[in-house]
Amino acid sequence: MNDILPDQTPLWQQLESTLTRVLHSYGYGEIRLPIVEKTELFKRTIGEVTDIVEKEMYTFEDRNGDSLTLRPEGTAGCVRAGIEQGLLHNQTQRLWYRGPMFRHERPQKGRYRQFHQVGVEAFGFAGPDIDAELIMISARFWKALGIGHLSLELNTLGTAEERGRYRLELINYLQAHHQQLDDESRDRLTRNPLRVLDSKNPDIAELIAGAPALLDHLGSDSRGHFEQLCGLLDQADIRYRINPRLVRGLDYYSHTVFEWVTDRLGAQSAVCAGGRYDGLVAQLGGRETPAIGFAMGLERLVALLQEEDETADTGSQADVYLAVTDSDATGLAMGLAERCREQNPDTAILLNCGGGALGKQIKRADRSGARLALILGPDEIEQQNVQVKFLRDSRAQLMISQQDLPTELGKLLASPSPNNRID
Ligand code: ATP
Ligand code: MG
């Protein structure tokens, strides 16, 4: 679980505001959900035989003896809220959420126990158009963030019945090659056979490549859905690779599943993942409601942004530093800073607190990253002026009246121009 320090937060804020803007432009509304839910909710949705439920959840009893869990993902809570709040009755919903998720995994680069996701969910749409829309939203994210080199992997899992029939055939195939399987795959074979396809062990890659493909076991409706989606992506110029081994770790998916992957983050290659989960709402007691969603790991996106631009502006603490040498003038300085902020709401103005000699205050100003130091010394106070010192430009310092300062501040911060240059 990480602390995100002030030199990192500007990048996070930039990421979050870009995602928010893009989601708004597609008409999605933000839903804010609790971090804690009943343990039962995750068992019923994610599935008992999944890595998450078997070994990754932070589960505890509260004072009433109820079993609660820190959410390991957002879809379950979103569906729960949708049913409870009546959002899914005879209506469609386009929603998104953000926030921390918790999984007790082995921490490593790109894999943490508290991490952050932005997730997007659409309810009440059965057709491939919304599948395409969600994928287009994710593609727009990468464009808006300036992240290239992500590739889209796509697959379809068909309906539960189709998957059931395929499952039997897969079990037959894998059992016939039981000797060649590794321990993990043998375990998965008995408990959740489709997950064997997900194995990362190169020793059994060939065996898996030879396994029967789910795509060949789908009926015409499922195929049609998938083909239409592919057609829409083609029209939108979104490139994808159909990966028949993409099965996803969670139980609730049907039809479309997809993942955006990168080769820039080592083993933690998945940046964004999602799929259709048509059965989930009814399974939780709601009416039969088609649904699809995806979630992105923000830590991995921040890492990509950093790698994209190592000099990424991590922001400076302040634009303007107000130095005041006489402690009796603190009230005056604070009033002046307030008037400046009122007229320049986007400007960060740092007031020197804790006194100190002028030289020391200017050093603090420099360290803050400010472009300007404003100095209130005894003479300035006497003459109701303030001295302006340019910390980043080779411009001579100048004197300005305290009264004019709030309106002139913007100009002083703009690049030097002949109008405000002092010769
Ligand atoms: P992975 O294959 O990396 O374990 P996952 O399939 O468990 O991912 P999802 O549950 O689909 O992941 O979550 C969606 C996204 O959330 C992932 O693509 C990833 O970017 C991010 N994510 C998942 N687990 C973690 C984690 N422990 N730390 C950081 N990010 C994570
Ligand atoms: Mg995982």
Side-chain angles (χ1 to χ4, degrees):
M1 298 188 186
N2 294 313
D3 303 310
I4 302 172
L5 302 181
D7 67 337
Q8 283 286 308
T9 46
L11 205 53
W12 281 81
Q13 288 168 344
Q14 182 204 321
L15 171 62
E16 288 159 358
S17 69
T18 303
L19 299 179
T20 305
R21 186 161 43 75
V22 169
L23 285 161
H24 176 74
S25 78
Y26 284 83
Y28 283 65
E30 184 184 4
I31 184 165
R32 300 200 174 187
L33 300 161
I35 287 173
V36 178
E37 298 273 359
K38 291 197 174 127
T39 303
E40 199 49 34
L41 176 70
F42 300 115
K43 288 193 175 165
R44 285 173 64 192
T45 55
I46 298 170
E48 299 262 8
V49 188
T50 54
D51 286 351
I52 292 182
V53 171
E54 281 187 334
K55 49 189 190 209
E56 294 175 359
M57 295 205 302
Y58 282 91
T59 296
F60 60 97
E61 265 188 16
D62 75 359
R63 286 167 188 275
N64 303 331
D66 292 329
S67 180
L68 302 181
T69 293
L70 298 183
R71 64 181 183 193
E73 55 104 55
T75 301
C78 192
V79 172
R80 193 245 342 116
I83 296 170
E84 253 175 47
Q85 309 295 336
L87 303 179
L88 308 179
H89 269 298
N90 300 323
Q91 52 191 318
T92 57
Q93 291 289 346
R94 286 174 157 102
L95 303 173
W96 69 277
Y97 60 82
R98 64 173 133 196
M101 307 293 160
F102 302 83
R103 298 184 194 177
H104 194 275
E105 305 191 69
R106 193 169 66 79
Q108 52 199 288
K109 186 168 177 276
R111 188 176 295 286
Y112 310 104
R113 290 183 172 174
Q114 173 174 335
F115 59 99
H116 298 78
Q117 286 184 339
V118 162
V120 183
E121 318 281 359
F123 295 97
F125 304 95
D129 46 2
I130 197 81
D131 303 24
E133 177 172 284
L134 285 198
I135 291 173
M136 284 163 75
I137 291 175
S138 57
R140 169 130 340 259
F141 284 149
W142 321 142
K143 217 180 269 177
L145 292 167
I147 297 177
H149 63 73
L150 286 182
S151 46
L152 175 61
E153 310 239 306
L154 194 61
N155 193 21
T156 175
L157 302 179
T159 63
E161 299 77 59
E162 288 161 345
R163 225 163 35 250
R165 281 197 296 275
Y166 167 73
R167 197 166 169 268
L168 295 176
E169 208 164 308
L170 181 66
I171 292 173
N172 282 338
Y173 172 84
L174 293 173
Q175 258 161 3
H177 298 85
H178 202 257
Q179 271 76 39
Q180 289 159 260
L181 293 176
D182 57 16
D183 287 348
E184 186 187 48
S185 297
R186 282 188 191 144
D187 182 52
R188 284 180 175 175
L189 174 56
T190 54
R191 294 145 61 74
N192 194 347
L194 259 66
R195 293 269 285 134
V196 176
L197 300 177
D198 209 16
S199 168
K200 308 274 183 315
N201 182 355
D203 296 342
I204 64 167
E206 204 177 316
L207 180 70
I208 288 174
L214 177 52
L215 210 51
D216 298 332
H217 291 72
L218 301 184
S220 58
D221 284 359
S222 293
R223 273 170 182 281
H225 184 105
F226 192 58
E227 279 158 17
Q228 283 177 54
L229 169 61
C230 291
L232 289 170
L233 294 178
D234 291 338
Q235 277 182 55
D237 253 335
I238 294 177
R239 288 200 288 165
Y240 53 89
R241 185 175 81 92
I242 296 175
N243 175 2
R245 313 293 156 219
L246 181 66
V247 292
R248 310 278 306 119
L250 289 64
D251 269 2
Y252 52 56
Y253 288 111
S254 57
H255 296 294
T256 311
V257 289
F258 65 94
E259 242 175 55
W260 287 93
V261 295
T262 174
D263 53 10
R264 307 266 171 112
L265 295 178
Q268 283 10 288
S269 62
V271 172
C272 169
R276 189 165 267 287
Y277 52 93
D278 290 344
L280 191 61
V281 177
Q283 193 189 313
L284 283 182
R287 248 189 256 170
E288 205 66 57
T289 307
I292 178 168
F294 69 84
M296 298 172 289
L298 300 192
E299 278 76 6
R300 293 181 194 178
L301 287 176
V302 166
L304 283 179
L305 286 174
Q306 257 162 347
E307 121 127 17
E308 203 70 46
D309 180 8
E310 277 171 25
T311 60
D313 183 18
T314 50
S316 53
Q317 191 186 2
D319 303 309
V320 176
Y321 194 98
L322 181 50
V324 49
T325 52
D326 180 351
S327 63
D328 288 344
T330 302
L332 173 77
M334 285 184 148
L336 188 60
E338 288 301 307
R339 289 200 298 284
C340 287
R341 291 185 185 107
E342 242 154 53
Q343 296 226 9
N344 307 271
D346 293 328
T347 303
I349 301 169
L350 204 60
L351 175 68
N352 185 79
C353 285
L358 182 61
K360 204 166 178 181
Q361 294 193 29
I362 296 297
K363 269 204 194 109
R364 289 179 190 149
D366 196 42
R367 253 183 280 133
S368 76
R371 295 261 317 276
L372 299 184
L374 304 176
I375 301 163
L376 274 177
D379 293 346
E380 287 82 12
I381 291 164
E382 163 100 43
Q383 286 147 33
Q384 297 182 16
N385 283 337
V386 58
Q387 201 184 130
V388 182
K389 190 173 159 68
F390 296 90
L391 299 172
R392 316 287 155 198
D393 314 295
S394 52
R395 290 164 74 182
Q397 47 190 60
L398 56 89
M399 203 65 92
I400 186 167
S401 80
Q402 290 173 16
Q403 195 181 344
D404 293 345
L405 180 67
T407 45
E408 294 299 308
L409 196 58
K411 275 184 234 155
L412 293 170
L413 280 166
S415 319
S417 78
N419 290 340
N420 56 21
R421 180 176 289 148
I422 296 284
D423 295 315

